[in-house]
Amino acid sequence: EIKRFRHNIDQLNLNQTFECEMAAPYPPTPATATPSTRVELHISCDNLRDADLFSKSDPVVVVYTQTRSKQWVEVARTEWIQNTLSPRFSRAVLMDYRFEEVQQLQFSVYDIDNDTPSMNDDDFLGCIKCTLGEIVSAVTYTKPLESGTGKKSRGKLGTITIRAEEVSQNQSMLELRFSAQGLDKKDLFGKSDPYLEFTKQNPDGSFSVVHRTEVFKNSLNPTWTMFEISSQTLCSSDADRRIKVVCYDWDSDGSHDLIGEFTTTLAEITAAYQSGKKLQWECINPAKQKKRKYKNSGTVYLQSVKITKTYSFLEYIMGGCQVNFTVGVDFTASNGDPRKPSSL
């Protein structure tokens, strides 16, 4: 009996060992993720329809994507710009471009008439439908706006331009504060209402608006509020890419007057940050440069700058960061019957 018992035990151990070896001879193959990359879309419009009676349109662009059930869902919208028919939106749209998927997009332009988030009570100015792949492959994608009814508008509703650029993984966050001294006086019964517009140079040599400061009312010596911006937004994380800063005098009718402009780079700003040196630039109005006695239209100063490196999750792990994750499950009877969906 003892020998038979030992034989059964040995046979059971052998079967268990065999089953374990056959259960998973190789590690399971991980599921392949859809290859994708992050892209940034900069949007501008030209010659929009004027939907306002006593002023110009106040446009905004709403971006929709089509789901698998063929429904259009809003994913982003630009800022709202007052009194202009050729807006240059500074708020970029971030999207994941998936290489193996057709991503249908719709860009709809509206004239804002109130402060409600819904577009149902605003004037529709036109739209286009395309794929994200078409935009990325074209780099600069320009199309005439359509009415959405199927009828050809023949360019009467204006055009929309979308520029795509891949988002760099090597980013920093910048905190910048600017001031100016001795700006040109542009208003008849006052001084000037200056603001700064930051643009980055595109690969084709054009410039896209990436940020606007607030308007500083009735002053020739403004100090604007500090703002935060990523290096990706400011210059696509390219330290040598040109950044053009334009100073305007704000007018309520949208016909803002040019005061002057200058160019800089992230490399110049970074060098100033590392050395503690304060930067200043002459604000030049190109139309006045031909005058003999013209020197500048004021001076712009970088009052303060702070640069913070933005790390990815993988960089934290590779740098030795450890993440502890703990899960607790309460199996007490007070939670209810675990077989019912209503239980905890």
Side-chain angles (χ1 to χ4, degrees), residues 6 9 37 117 199 212 218 281:
R6 287 179 178 176
I9 293 295
T37 186
T199 64
R212 291 186 183 92
N218 198 33
W281 301 269

Side-chain angles (χ1 to χ4, degrees), residues 96-114:
D96 288 322
Y97 173 48
R98 295 182 282 274
F99 307 118
E100 299 177 356
E101 183 179 330
V102 178
Q103 297 168 264
Q104 297 286 348
L105 300 178
Q106 176 175 310
F107 296 83
S108 298
V109 187
Y110 294 90
D111 169 41
I112 298 296
D113 294 321
N114 49 58

Side-chain angles (χ1 to χ4, degrees), residues 291-308:
K291 297 182 180 180
R292 289 184 179 181
K293 295 183 179 181
Y294 178 76
K295 184 178 180 182
N296 58 53
S297 295
T299 306
V300 177
Y301 300 88
L302 179 58
Q303 289 288 103
S304 63
V305 55
K306 180 181 179 181
I307 302 177
T308 305

Side-chain angles (χ1 to χ4, degrees), residues 51-108:
D52 291 344
L53 184 59
F54 299 107
S55 62
K56 298 176 183 177
S57 295
D58 307 319
V60 64
V61 177
V62 183
V63 185
Y64 302 90
T65 185
Q66 193 176 50
T67 64
R68 292 183 178 178
S69 59
K70 304 300 181 181
Q71 298 294 319
W72 290 103
V73 179
E74 179 181 339
V75 292
R77 64 175 66 180
T78 66
E79 76 276 17
W80 161 37
I81 301 181
Q82 293 181 318
N83 293 322
T84 179
L85 302 181
S86 298
R88 302 293 184 263
F89 300 101
S90 62
R91 184 182 300 168
V93 175
L94 292 174
M95 299 196 72
D96 288 322
Y97 173 48
R98 295 182 282 274
F99 307 118
E100 299 177 356
E101 183 179 330
V102 178
Q103 297 168 264
Q104 297 286 348
L105 300 178
Q106 176 175 310
F107 296 83
S108 298

